[in-house]
Amino acid sequence: MIPLNLRYSRDHEWFTDDEIATVGITAFAADALGDVVFVDLPEVGTVTTAGDPCGEIESTKSVSEVYAPADGEIVEVNQALADDPGLINSDPYGAGWLYRVRVTGTPEVLDAAAYAALISPES
């Protein structure tokens, strides 16, 4: 199920629609990755540009980049992922969040319906 209250990037990140947005990867992306074993996140203070890579997620299947869904500055990272990266698989929209960013631009966003259409097998 895709939460209706979040916004989505075409790179499968979700984020809250706030001045300081919480960012994570979608359940679709977490399922595609398989069991996550390591997460490399940006440091607090890092300036992000929408669409640019800002971290990596390593799973038993592959290593994938995390793309910034918006321009901004990282203000917090989820320290719990260092000890338990599997939170991304078990709770991608909750405890498995990645970082918080102070949004400085207007991100190109998808709502839940548009994201559902993006990941639909018919698309």
Side-chain angles (χ1 to χ4, degrees):
M1 180 175 160
I2 299 171
L4 299 176
N5 62 325
L6 300 174
R7 299 294 177 248
Y8 301 88
S9 74
R10 293 185 177 279
D11 296 314
H12 308 288
E13 284 85 19
W14 61 262
F15 55 102
T16 58
D17 194 15
D18 301 309
E19 180 182 340
I20 296 179
T22 302
V23 177
I25 65 167
T26 65
F28 176 83
D31 288 345
L33 284 170
D35 294 333
V36 175
V37 296
F38 180 76
V39 180
D40 181 26
L41 295 175
E43 294 182 17
V44 170
T46 301
V47 175
T48 63
T49 301
D52 285 356
C54 63
E56 290 184 341
I57 297 176
E58 183 177 339
S59 72
T60 54
K61 292 182 180 178
S62 67
V63 176
S64 297
E65 293 187 301
V66 174
Y67 295 95
D71 295 346
E73 179 181 350
I74 304 296
V75 296
E76 183 180 359
V77 296
N78 186 352
Q79 298 295 331
L81 295 178
D83 294 331
D84 188 3
L87 290 171
I88 292 173
N89 297 109
S90 64
D91 192 9
Y93 298 112
W97 63 276
L98 300 176
Y99 60 87
R100 292 193 168 106
V101 59
R102 183 182 318 276
V103 177
T104 58
T106 304
E108 291 186 30
V109 298
L110 302 174
D111 63 15
Y115 183 71
L118 177 72
I119 62 172
S120 168
E122 292 87 34
S123 63

